[in-house]
Amino acid sequence: MAEQSTQQVAFGIDIGGSGIKGAPVDLATGEFAAERQRIPTPHRSTPDAVADVVAELVAGFDLPDDSPVGVAFPAPLDHGVIRFIANLHKSWKSVDLPALLHDRTGREVVAVNDADAAGVGEHRYGAAAGHDGVVLVVTLGTGIGSALLVDGVLVPNTELGHLEIDGHDAESRAADSARQREELSYEKWAKRLQRYFETVEMLLSPDLIVVGGGVSKHHEKFLPLLDLRAEIIPATLRNKAGIVGAASLAARPH
C-alpha cells in the first residue's frame, strides 16, 4: 500500500491550448472543494505568460499554506521537464515546469502529462477505483491519450495513441476526431476501435480498460460493440479527471 498523504486539500491545474483551469480538490473524496475557475490561455503561451495565469488561479482561492499544486500539462514530461511541445509556445521545450511554478506560487508543485493525470484521477477516484493489476485509461478526442497504471503505480508518458497499426498512426483512424471528420457511424468507428484495442491488448494484457473523452458520454453506442478479453468501461470523472488526478499526485506521487 502507498503511504497515505496527510494533506486534506491539494490544488489541481489543467493547462490546455485554449484554457487553463484550476480547482482545489478534497483528497478524501476526489471532489472539487470549490467551484472550478477557468482563464483563457494567453495568445502568446510562453512559460512566463502561462505561469502568471497559474499563479493568478492559485491566488484566487483560500488555500491552506501547505496545500501542494498538481499540474496536468499537454506534453510528455521527463521528471517535470518538458521534452517537446505541440499545443503551446515552442519555448516550453526543456523547461522544468515544477521549478518554474514553485518560483511563482511558493508551493510544492508536481507536473504530469495531462492524459496521465486523467488516468490517475480515474484510478484513485473514478471508474477504475479499487482495481489492481494493469489498468489502461484511454481518452478518445482530437487524438488518443493514454495512461497505464500497474497496481496503482503510473507508467508515465506512454503515448499509445501513436502506435502504428496497419501502416497508420492509430489516432489518425481511431480518435473521435476521425469519426467526426469522416462522418463514420458508431458501428463503423467501433470496427476501428476494435482493431486499436485488440492491438493494445496483445501488447499489454490489461485487466481493465477505461475509456474517457467527451464521446464517452455516448459509450452505450460503441463500447458494447467491442469484443475484448479485458473488461472495458466508460470513465466517470470525464473533464474533471485531469485536475483531480494532478492534485492527487501532488499530495501522493505514488
Side-chain angles (χ1 to χ4, degrees), residues 110-131:
V110 169
V112 65
N113 170 263
D114 52 5
D116 286 341
V120 170
E122 289 291 345
H123 191 273
R124 293 185 179 180
Y125 300 103
H131 286 266

Side-chain angles (χ1 to χ4, degrees), residues 4-222:
Q4 295 297 309
S5 170
T6 58
Q7 302 286 346
Q8 295 180 325
V9 173
F11 196 79
I13 296 272
D14 191 350
I15 296 175
S18 61
I20 301 173
K21 298 161 286 188
V25 175
D26 181 334
L27 297 171
T29 64
E31 298 292 332
F32 290 168
E35 186 176 351
R36 186 191 73 175
Q37 299 297 315
R38 180 186 185 277
I39 297 175
T41 303
H43 177 68
R44 183 173 166 80
S45 54
T46 62
D48 281 343
V50 170
D52 285 344
V53 172
V54 169
E56 180 181 347
L57 279 170
V58 173
F61 291 86
D62 184 17
L63 299 171
D65 291 340
D66 62 348
S67 293
V69 174
V71 180
F73 192 80
L77 289 96
D78 185 1
H79 302 285
V81 177
I82 294 149
R83 301 201 308 228
F84 61 86
I85 187 72
N87 296 326
L88 296 172
H89 196 272
K90 63 182 180 181
S91 59
W92 275 102
K93 185 178 179 182
S94 301
V95 168
D96 185 328
L97 183 55
L100 172 67
L101 297 182
H102 173 69
D103 287 345
R104 294 299 177 92
T105 65
R107 295 178 181 272
E108 293 302 313
V109 177
V110 169
V112 65
N113 170 263
D114 52 5
D116 286 341
V120 170
E122 289 291 345
H123 191 273
R124 293 185 179 180
Y125 300 103
H131 286 266
D132 290 325
V134 179
V135 174
L136 175 66
V137 181
V138 172
T139 55
L140 301 173
T142 303
I144 297 178
S146 63
L148 184 67
L149 299 104
V150 181
D151 292 333
V153 178
L154 176 68
V155 181
N157 302 316
T158 48
E159 297 289 340
L160 295 174
H162 294 297
L163 287 174
E164 183 179 320
I165 300 176
D166 301 329
H168 299 276
D169 185 72
E171 68 179 21
S172 71
R173 305 224 346 124
D176 188 43
S177 58
R179 178 187 67 84
Q180 296 181 53
R181 182 177 64 248
E182 300 181 40
E183 299 181 346
L184 299 174
S185 66
Y186 281 103
E187 290 76 14
K188 288 184 177 179
W189 185 48
K191 292 179 181 179
R192 297 187 182 188
L193 291 177
Q194 174 69 31
R195 183 75 181 108
Y196 173 70
F197 282 117
E198 70 186 15
T199 300
V200 173
E201 188 170 62
M202 177 188 68
L203 294 170
L204 298 174
S205 298
D207 299 294
L208 176 70
I209 301 171
V210 178
V211 176
V215 73
S216 66
K217 63 187 175 184
H218 303 298
H219 61 87
E220 72 285 351
K221 296 181 179 180
F222 61 94

